[in-house]
Amino acid sequence: MTSVSGRPQDVEVLTFGCRLNLVESEAMRRAALACGRTNLVIVNTCAVTTEAARQARQAIRRVKRERPAAEIVVTGCAAQIDPNRFATMPEVFRVLGNAEKADPASWARGGVRMCVSNIMAAKDPPTISEGIEDRTRAFLAVQTGCDHRCTFCVIPFGRGPSRSVPMDEIIRAARRLSENGFREIVLTGVDLTSYGADLCGGPRLGELVKSILRAAPNLERLRLSSIDCIEADEDLVKAFANEARLMPHLHLSLQSGDDLILKRMKRRHLRADALRFCAGLRRLRPEIVFGADLIAGFPTETEAMFQNTLTLVEDCGLTHLHVFPFSARPGTSAAKMSPVAPEIVKARAKQLREAGAAALRKHLEAQTGKILPVLTERGGTGRTEDFTRVRIGELPPSQMIEVLIAGNDGNMLEAMVRA
Ligand code: SF4
């Protein structure tokens, strides 16, 4: 969860969940300030796990204790999926749906207590919205929603069908951000690889990437947030081979390494597809680094099936793991499947995290002695092109520097800054 200030005259935003929520929080804060709102706290919730929704309710109670006079508006996926759960909280002033939160008019004073439309009926393309991280990188939300129905996931019911921002709007925004000094742009969405399927001519993500790099020749780094490897188009793969400004880092939504579990998740890829994708991109761009989302303890997962997920870490050469112990989401078909015992779920998640830590250490060790370009951030760190964190000492953010990698602490690299 990220938050901003806490001063009464301010609009404070508590953001849970994904980068898309981060970007939208920035847009809501600006819209509320533009409407002259003060003493307002916006809670932008996430519904990816039961725990995320619980934490939002906990934060709402805390905020009301700390700022009794503040108006609390709740929005985001958990509010979209279960608005009454928030509307019945005495601390809550108003509940807005995900479509309503993007409408600047929603932030004017007044309005009904609960304004949540049927997101599954949403058709309008999202408007381009951008978020800034630490004055170093800009996020561009280019797509929202999802047309898939993975059996464990509630996101489609929070975000609605897949909708893409028209390409010309994205290119204008990217060019403006680059001209305003942003050296790195991150494209984000819910199901990024389905970008363009709803637009005239059906432009794909690869075409969007190439068009942005062409339109913003001074942009030094273009990065993608999480993608579905089986939906990566040919142009996108070629762009990784030919475009040095497209960062050699991809976070993959893999979820499992076992084919039967992947089928029960209703994923569109099999283990062999993931192996082929990673090996193929590594041949085209040897320095590429992969991260991945993996679920531990999906219902019906046996020890042998889990071993297929565990060994996927090495077999795909994954470095940055996000491990999710399975948590049943009410209303999903996975919630009706025969569950794995909680202590086994926990133990498998621990094993996966340990495998991830070992893979990260191996990657960090291999960087020692290299000279790498780093984009500086606040707080004495920066990021390499493959998104590895580097300790560099206090430097202004958003500087592109060259460093000599001297070592690592198991989580990030240690560097000597070259003059
Ligand atoms: S692709 Fe699957 S996991 Fe991702 S948002 Fe869509 S339904 Fe959820």
Side-chain angles (χ1 to χ4, degrees):
M1 174 188 72
T2 55
S3 79
V4 184
S5 67
R7 291 176 305 169
Q9 69 274 26
D10 268 357
V11 172
E12 181 173 2
V13 189
L14 305 184
T15 305
F16 293 82
C18 64
R19 283 178 167 167
L20 188 55
N21 253 12
L22 261 176
V23 172
E24 292 166 342
S25 287
E26 183 60 22
M28 290 190 282
R29 200 175 69 82
R30 288 193 197 141
L33 285 170
C35 291
R37 300 296 296 271
T38 59
N39 215 1
L40 175 68
V41 178
I42 304 171
V43 182
N44 196 6
T45 64
C46 167
V48 88
T49 60
T50 312
E51 176 59 13
R54 189 193 65 75
Q55 285 176 5
R57 291 191 298 275
Q58 194 183 39
I60 290 165
R61 293 189 198 98
R62 178 182 54 74
V63 166
K64 200 61 183 175
R65 280 196 305 277
E66 291 169 2
R67 298 183 52 181
E71 288 177 348
I72 299 178
V73 173
V74 185
T75 185
C77 294
Q80 174 70 48
I81 291 168
D82 191 0
N84 289 318
R85 189 77 191 266
F86 293 94
T88 51
M89 294 177 73
E91 297 86 354
V92 172
F93 172 76
R94 191 160 194 228
V95 179
L96 285 179
N98 268 335
E100 288 72 29
K101 80 178 181 188
D103 177 0
S106 299
W107 297 102
R109 282 190 183 289
V112 293
R113 182 166 160 73
M114 195 157 82
C115 194
V116 180
S117 61
N118 171 14
I119 196 86
M120 305 313 284
K123 291 208 171 21
D124 300 342
T127 47
I128 189 74
S129 53
E130 63 199 52
I132 313 299
E133 183 187 70
D134 200 18
R135 293 231 38 84
T136 295
R137 59 183 55 81
F139 295 106
L140 273 183
V142 299
Q143 182 273 348
T144 190
C146 182
D147 296 335
H148 301 298
R149 292 292 179 273
C150 302
T151 56
F152 54 85
C153 182
V154 292
I155 297 172
F157 312 108
R159 292 280 179 186
S162 178
R163 302 155 347 258
S164 311
V165 175
M167 202 180 301
D168 58 344
E169 266 187 57
I170 300 169
I171 288 170
R172 269 200 305 278
R175 194 185 288 133
R176 180 171 38 75
L177 287 164
S178 170
E179 282 159 6
N180 288 348
F182 284 95
R183 310 177 93 150
E184 180 168 316
I185 291 176
V186 183
L187 301 184
T188 191
V190 169
D191 185 25
L192 202 51
T193 25
S194 69
Y195 176 80
D198 57 317
L199 297 177
C200 179
R204 302 289 306 273
L205 185 59
E207 187 184 338
L208 175 64
V209 162
K210 290 196 305 180
S211 306
I212 291 173
L213 291 171
R214 229 181 356 254
N218 299 326
L219 178 66
E220 290 154 274
R221 293 180 167 196
L222 181 63
R223 195 179 296 283
L224 301 182
S225 60
S226 185
I227 71 157
D228 200 340
C229 62
I230 200 77
E231 291 183 343
D233 63 279
E234 214 180 311
D235 279 343
L236 182 63
V237 172
K238 282 191 193 139
F240 274 103
N242 307 326
E243 301 279 1
R245 294 182 293 140
L246 178 58
M247 294 295 101
H249 162 237
L250 261 182
H251 194 82
L252 306 175
S253 177
L254 293 180
Q255 311 302 353
S256 174
D258 183 80
D259 286 351
L260 191 50
I261 293 295
L262 287 167
K263 282 200 184 101
R264 289 176 181 161
M265 287 176 165
K266 277 208 178 142
R267 298 294 297 173
R268 278 84 42 209
H269 72 276
L270 293 174
R271 185 185 168 80
D273 299 314
L275 295 172
R276 196 179 312 115
F277 180 79
C278 293
L281 264 186
R282 198 165 271 123
R283 265 193 305 278
L284 294 171
R285 188 86 178 257
E287 73 275 24
I288 198 160
V289 162
F290 295 108
D293 293 339
L294 292 173
I295 294 177
F298 184 83
T300 74
E301 185 187 67
T302 63
E303 184 53 30
M305 293 169 178
F306 173 65
Q307 287 303 318
N308 288 333
T309 298
L310 200 54
T311 53
L312 191 73
V313 178
E314 184 149 347
D315 295 351
C316 274
L318 307 175
T319 300
H320 305 287
L321 292 192
H322 293 172
V323 175
F324 298 88
F326 177 78
S327 85
R329 299 299 286 129
T332 61
S333 38
K336 302 186 192 89
M337 298 180 191
S338 125
V340 172
E343 63 279 8
I344 296 178
V345 172
K346 211 168 159 208
R348 287 179 184 167
K350 185 168 178 286
Q351 270 184 276
L352 264 180
R353 290 196 183 101
E354 284 163 359
L360 177 60
R361 272 196 304 277
K362 191 173 155 205
H363 168 68
L364 296 176
E365 284 299 330
Q367 310 311 303
T368 302
K370 287 186 181 174
I371 294 172
L372 297 175
V374 165
L375 181 59
T376 63
E377 300 167 340
R378 275 187 222 289
T381 63
R383 299 271 181 175
T384 64
E385 294 192 340
D386 66 23
F387 212 57
T388 304
R389 223 154 157 227
V390 193
R391 190 171 289 114
I392 49 173
E394 283 304 327
L395 286 169
S398 199
Q399 310 296 304
M400 201 64 85
I401 60 171
E402 271 205 341
V403 301
L404 171 64
I405 304 299
N408 69 82
D409 67 358
N411 284 311
M412 71 171 83
L413 298 170
E414 308 276 0
M416 288 195 289
V417 179
R418 290 160 51 89

